[in-house]
Each structure stands twice: as structure tokens, then as C-alpha cells.
Amino acid sequence: MQDGFLTRPNISGHFGVAASTHWLAAQTAMRMLELGGNAFDAAVAAGFVLQVAEPHLNGPLGEVPILLHDAATCETRVICGQGPAPKKATIDFFRDQGIEQIPGTGLLAAAVPGAFDAWMLMLRDYGKLDLETVLSPAVSYAERGIPVMPRLANSIAVMQSWFENHWRENAKIYLPKGDLPTIGSLLKNQNLAETWKRVLSEAKAARADRQVQIENARATWKSGFVAEAIGTFCATGRFRDVTGHDNGGLITGDDLTEWSAHYENPASIEFAGKRIVKCGSWSQGPVLLQSMRLIEACGTEALQNETRFYHTVTEAMKLSYADRETFYGDQDFVDVPFEVLLSKEYAAQRAKQIGRRAQNGWQPGQIDGFGYAVDFDAACNVTLDEETLSALGVGEPTVAKRHSTEGKIKAITDGDTCHINVIDRWGNMVAATPSGGWMESSPVIPELGFCLGTRLQMMRLDERAPDALAPGKRPRTTLSPTIVLNQDGTGYMACGTPGGDKQDQWQLSFLLRHLLLGMEPQQAIEEPMFFSSHWPDSFFPRQAFPGKLTIEGRISDQAADELCTLGHDLEIAPRWSDGYVTASFRRPDGTLGCAASPRGQQAYAVGR
């Protein structure tokens, strides 16, 4: 924002609001509300539309963490739509293959798909509309086509040679008639539409009520024709991945049948008169909570000018993300010291490490009996050549910045996916960040029209690590939606963003500017965004850039000079290039509002 000017209006209403990283999803959510549905119906319908509208960012065989707030009970819950590692996915298996790090593309990196079951669980228990109504917009877009936006066109162009030479089923869908799709043209996926229509047909065969039909759909996905296609494809297919070899997959029918999406209690803290709610340590969500604790310990005066804001927030994140790497993992497998990590006492101790200058070393916390010694020097010295990078699609794609050193490509800083948040007139709220199964990650399964995800790349092949690979264990995902509650437990805000490791960095800046500095949500979203690359990235090849701080080019020259003087390795990014936050909120008088980032030219907030 400059001189009080906003690129988007402050959306306000009383019937319902929705904001998403694609306008088709936001409008689909509103359509469900108009049909008499609630926020839960709306989010599910939008989630399926995102799978069609942004196939370069998510897909039906990806994953989704969902935070929901039920206004009737004032209950806030997590739905875990992050599937675990298959039974065959062991550290010994990868070592026997001579693989030192789980690849970022291909079938070997596929976790059990979780998104479909998670959406269905929420629809069954909290929705009002029938399955056909909720799925119909996505089916229609798959059949009739979605408009190709520049970012999608660019992703297809980057992958064109790879699709043509290695993943030919991807080429059939994303290179129609053998050509790159033009911007503005309609891209269809008939196989995807037919898959959903068959799921609907089998779900409705019993002619039972909506809940039974939804359960039938879950069964069809987990043990019916979808599961059979996945199991056969993994067992018989061999496709090129980032290792440079052709590999098959590890998922079996039993893996699919035996896993279900489930509810969990969230992690949360009180901050600035609100309660901030996140998913557990199988996500990176608690780093937002830890960072808020650190800011609280530093005092709001540490944020009161431009330079101090960027410096203090960056230094807090370095400490929190160091703890992520040291302590976080699937809490069903790893004892994570949450009581300590989220305590004010621990934050006060850690905040003493935030000084006037940038601290560019490795500074994880010390908690007796816990912790993993991250090889920070190794992460800082990973190098990749062009041949290795010919297998693109690693990370969460589209916002990719390559850093070069002496002619060698040293890294990909990646991060993008999609997001949806909805609030209805009753005060029900959903924040969901679907991802995985994007077209760049893996070969398309012909019978289905979509591909598996690659979330296992986030797991280490080191038994000592909290995020070590193990059968049945969830990868520590970067996906990280947020819900904010009022002190009385009622819902205030649902928000989130794409961005890989940047998700909780961008949300932290947004929430600090809104909750502490008093900015309206749209203004807070439009302020210059920034991110650090100081710690090991969650995606293959897990690189780190000590002290690296990237800020949009709308900061002042004085602040930029001062940050460099303080020891930050500053990179000035294009003016509107980072931060894709969307937010929906409910004011004290019961009116609703929502806001969306103008970056990327696709996110929209709608409401009435």
C-alpha cells in the first residue's frame, strides 16, 4: 500500500464471505452459500474447484489440513488430510536403492493421498448439501475447461519437454493437440470429470441419505476403482524422477484402505487479546505461535518503525524455524515438547538471542531430553547442476527463484499452493490449504486424469530426526491454515496463504500488522511482504541460505540500507511478488469482511 491507496476494496457484508487464491473457488463457495449451504459445504466445493482451476498447485491425490470453527458449539477442530508414508516406505528401502534423500518428483515420494477423504469427512459431519451439488461446479469446470492464466501457462511451458519425453499422460492433458495452451484458452480434463462422475454414480447407487452417499464415495476412493488404479499404477509403472532413474511407487491397496482422515485438537496460544489456532507439529503451524511468543517477549516497541519491524520479525522466525527443524514431527510418533516450546518462559529466554544485529548462525533451542542436531553447514552447501534440475516440479511450484553462484545453479527457493477461507451468516468458519498432486510432481494416472503427490520429500532418511521417514508416519508438511478466536471462544478470522516454508512467515507479518499495529486486513495484506531463507527448506534438496532476507521492492531505501548494515543478506524482489494471504473475518457487530492479496492476479475476496 502507498499513500493510503488499496488495490482491492474492503469487502463487507452479512450473508457470507469467501476468499481464495483463485476467483473461481471464491465464487463457487459463495454459490454454495446462496443454495442454502454453510461454510463447510462452501469450502468443500471450492476445494474441488481448486483442483481443476490450479492443477499446477494441487490435485485430487494431494493433501489438505483443515481448520474449522463450529459456531453452534464454539468448537474449533483440525481435520488431518495429510496421509502418511506407505508401509513399504522405509529408510532401509531408500538406502538399498542408493538414495540419500527422498526425491522431489515421481512415484517414490508419494504419501497416501489425504485430500478427498478429509473434504468428505467435513462434508459428512458439518455440511448440509448433498454430494452431487457440492461436486457439480468442479465437474463442470473439468468438462468445459478452466481459463489458462499466465502462471499456469508458464508452469506448463517449463515442463513441456519433460512431459513429452517422460510423462506422456501429462502431455495429453496439459499440451492439448501437442501444443502449449495459450493464455485465456480453456483447458479441459475429461478423465478427471469422468472419475468424479463415476464416484458420484457409485455413491448414489444405494439411493440412501446424504451421509451414506458420502460414506459410499469415501469407500469408492479408498477401496474401489480409484484405489485399484493407484495400486496398479504404483506396482507396474516406472517413471523418471529427479534421481535421473525410472522408479515405481510404494503405495498399495492396503495403504489406501487402512488410512482415514481424522479429527485432532489444535495447538493454540493467546496473543493480542485473541486466541491463535494452528495444526499440530506434523505441520509447521506452531512456528507461527512460537514467533508470536517471541514478539510478545520483545515488546511492541520492537516493531514500531520499518527497519525494526523487518529485523525483529526475521530474527524471531530464525529461532522458531530452527526449533521446527530440531523438534517438530508427527506427534503420533515423536514426543514434541509443546509445553516448553509454546511457553512464555521459553520465549523470554529465546528472545534474549534477538539482538540489534542479524544473527546468521544456527541457533536452535536447548531442551533437555529432546532435539536433533541438524547439519546446518551441509544444508548451506548443497549444489545442483542443470542436469539434476532438468527434472523440475520439486517443492511447491510457481513462485520459483533460482540463486546462481559462479555459473552453477545453487538452489530453488520454491513455494506455492492454494487456499480457501469461508465464513457464513451463522459464524461458521473454515480455513484450508490444499496442496500436493500437482501436475509437475508426478506422472498422471491415465484412468483417473490426475497424479500422486510428493510429500515424502519432506522426511529425512535419518532415524534420529523427528521428521524421519517411517511407515504410517505423516510428513511434516508446510501447509498451515489459521483460525483466530475471540476471548469468549467465538470465531473472529480464518486466513492462510500459499508459500511452502513462507506460509507462516507471511501470515505472521499479516497478523502482527493487523492485531498489533491496527491495520485493516486488506491494508495488512498489501503492505510489503518478506521472507527469510535462513534455515533448511522443507523441500528437496533441503537447502539453506544463511542470513538471506527477501523483501518486496516497495520498502524505503533507508530501511534497505539499514537492514544491510545490520547484517542481513538482503535481496530486493519485484514490487508485488511475495505474499498471497487471504482472510475472512467477523466483526464484533456481526458483520462480515474478507480480503485477498492482489499478487498473482488470481486471488479474490467476495461476499454480500
Side-chain angles (χ1 to χ4, degrees):
M1 189 193 76
Q2 292 180 332
D3 301 324
F5 173 76
L6 293 176
T7 69
R8 302 284 178 88
N10 288 303
I11 302 296
S12 187
H14 52 77
F15 177 78
V17 288
S20 177
T21 47
H22 199 290
W23 77 89
L24 291 178
Q27 187 54 47
T28 294
M30 285 302 299
R31 171 64 176 160
M32 295 300 113
L33 297 181
E34 299 284 359
L35 290 174
N38 56 26
F40 312 113
D41 299 301
V44 174
F48 280 99
V49 165
L50 285 170
Q51 294 170 10
V52 189
E54 299 192 295
H56 54 311
L57 306 178
N58 78 133
L61 296 181
E63 48 273 333
V64 59
I66 302 171
L67 279 170
L68 65 88
H69 176 76
D70 181 356
T73 62
C74 268
E75 185 176 35
T76 306
R77 307 177 80 181
V78 174
I79 295 180
C80 175
Q82 174 59 67
K87 292 179 182 178
K88 293 182 179 179
T90 66
I91 291 175
D92 286 342
F93 168 84
F94 283 96
R95 286 176 177 165
D96 290 345
Q97 306 300 310
I99 296 174
E100 297 181 358
Q101 187 173 357
I102 298 173
T105 62
L107 299 182
L108 285 177
V112 175
F116 184 89
D117 205 53
W119 289 125
M120 290 299 101
L121 182 63
M122 182 166 70
L123 184 66
R124 184 196 72 184
D125 293 346
Y126 289 93
K128 299 169 63 179
L129 301 178
D130 63 83
L131 181 60
E132 185 170 18
T133 299
V134 169
L135 271 181
S136 61
V139 173
S140 176
Y141 283 125
E143 287 184 319
R144 302 181 66 180
I146 52 98
V148 175
M149 295 295 289
R151 295 165 70 198
L152 173 56
N154 179 66
S155 295
I156 296 172
V158 167
M159 297 299 295
Q160 180 177 10
S161 175
W162 191 264
F163 287 170
E164 291 172 338
N165 292 312
H166 301 294
W167 299 347
R168 294 184 177 88
E169 288 297 328
N170 301 53
K172 290 179 183 178
I173 297 171
Y174 301 111
L175 298 169
K177 300 180 180 179
D179 297 321
L180 288 169
T182 58
I183 294 173
S185 65
L186 295 180
L187 184 65
K188 303 176 182 179
N189 189 338
Q190 191 61 43
N191 285 4
L192 170 57
E194 292 302 321
T195 295
W196 279 336
K197 287 159 69 174
R198 184 174 172 186
V199 169
L200 277 172
S201 176
E202 296 190 13
K204 297 189 318 183
R207 299 183 181 275
D209 65 21
R210 62 176 297 278
Q211 289 188 326
V212 173
Q213 288 187 3
I214 292 167
E215 280 302 295
N216 289 345
R218 296 177 76 192
T220 296
W221 200 268
K222 292 163 57 175
S223 58
F225 79 95
V226 175
E228 291 173 5
I230 295 169
T232 300
F233 192 72
C234 287
T236 62
R238 296 185 67 82
F239 296 90
R240 188 65 51 89
D241 58 36
V242 77
T243 67
H245 301 288
D246 295 343
N247 289 299
L250 303 177
I251 296 175
T252 67
D254 287 344
D255 291 316
L256 297 162
T257 301
E258 294 173 9
W259 182 84
S260 294
H262 57 277
Y263 295 103
E264 291 183 353
N265 293 323
S268 68
I269 64 165
E270 290 187 7
F271 178 79
K274 304 291 185 183
R275 179 158 288 276
I276 315 299
V277 181
K278 301 292 286 185
C279 298
S281 60
W282 55 271
S283 77
Q284 70 176 355
V287 300
L288 179 75
L289 307 181
Q290 282 195 247
S291 296
M292 285 179 162
R293 283 278 191 243
L294 287 166
I295 297 298
E296 190 176 48
C298 290
T300 55
E301 63 275 7
L303 309 177
Q304 289 305 319
N305 68 50
E306 190 179 15
T307 301
R308 294 188 72 186
F309 183 91
Y310 294 127
H311 173 73
T312 303
V313 174
T314 298
E315 293 304 294
M317 293 188 303
K318 287 178 183 176
L319 299 177
S320 299
Y321 276 84
D323 281 356
R324 181 194 73 171
E325 295 298 297
T326 301
F327 301 110
Y328 290 16
D330 181 350
Q331 58 263 34
D332 292 340
F333 283 72
V334 180
D335 189 8
V336 181
F338 260 131
E339 268 192 40
V340 175
L341 291 170
L342 299 183
S343 70
K344 292 185 178 182
E345 294 76 16
Y346 180 73
Q349 175 190 353
R350 294 281 273 154
K352 295 175 183 177
Q353 296 174 270
I354 299 176
R356 296 192 176 188
R357 291 187 54 80
Q359 302 297 319
N360 295 330
W362 188 239
Q363 295 181 298
Q366 304 296 318
I367 302 176
D368 289 343
F370 298 91
Y372 167 72
V374 175
D375 192 342
F376 185 60
D377 289 339
C380 295
N381 290 290
V382 174
T383 57
L384 300 174
D385 56 27
E386 285 281 9
E387 183 178 358
T388 302
L389 286 170
S390 65
L392 291 170
V394 300
E396 289 181 334
T398 316
V399 185
K401 299 178 178 67
R402 297 190 184 186
H403 302 274
S404 299
T405 303
E406 297 178 354
K408 288 276 189 179
I409 294 177
K410 190 175 181 182
I412 300 177
T413 301
D414 42 46
D416 212 353
T417 180
C418 44
H419 182 79
I420 178 73
N421 38 260
V422 188
I423 304 178
D424 62 29
R425 61 187 182 274
W426 301 287
N428 299 308
M429 298 184 177
V430 178
T433 311
S435 189
W438 47 71
M439 66 174 192
E440 304 96 319
S441 66
S442 196
V444 163
I445 302 171
E447 305 96 308
L448 302 180
F450 42 84
C451 59
L452 289 160
T454 53
R455 196 61 59 172
L456 293 191
Q457 67 181 286
M458 296 181 156
M459 305 185 87
R460 288 186 171 94
L461 299 179
D462 183 342
E463 296 90 342
R464 300 166 298 172
D467 55 352
L469 176 68
K473 185 178 181 181
R474 289 172 288 184
R476 191 204 67 211
T477 181
T478 53
L479 305 174
S480 189
T482 304
I483 277 183
V484 180
L485 304 176
N486 296 309
Q487 287 186 323
D488 62 0
T490 57
Y492 172 63
M493 176 179 283
C495 63
T497 179
D501 287 77
K502 308 180 203 56
Q503 288 183 28
D504 282 304
Q505 300 188 62
W506 290 338
Q507 289 183 83
L508 178 62
S509 299
F510 162 69
L511 289 168
L512 292 176
R513 285 163 168 161
H514 174 52
L515 297 177
L516 286 185
L517 302 185
M519 296 181 188
E520 286 295 310
Q522 188 65 45
Q523 178 186 354
I525 284 173
E526 296 194 18
E527 286 291 301
M529 284 290 185
F530 59 104
F531 66 92
S532 173
S533 308
H534 176 76
W535 48 86
D537 192 86
S538 293
F539 293 95
F540 179 93
R542 306 294 289 263
Q543 294 156 303
F545 296 90
K548 189 74 175 181
L549 174 61
T550 303
I551 306 180
E552 287 184 310
R554 292 176 291 127
I555 67 165
S556 68
D557 291 341
Q558 179 181 344
D561 290 343
E562 288 174 350
L563 288 166
C564 290
T565 300
L566 292 175
H568 296 279
D569 180 8
L570 187 64
E571 177 179 298
I572 301 299
R575 292 172 59 83
W576 292 93
S577 59
D578 287 301
Y580 298 86
V581 175
T582 67
S584 301
F585 51 96
R586 190 169 187 265
R587 300 182 182 93
D589 64 1
T591 59
L592 306 176
C594 60
S597 173
R599 303 163 181 91
Q601 302 178 3
Q602 289 184 198
Y604 266 88
V606 295
R608 76 164 178 87

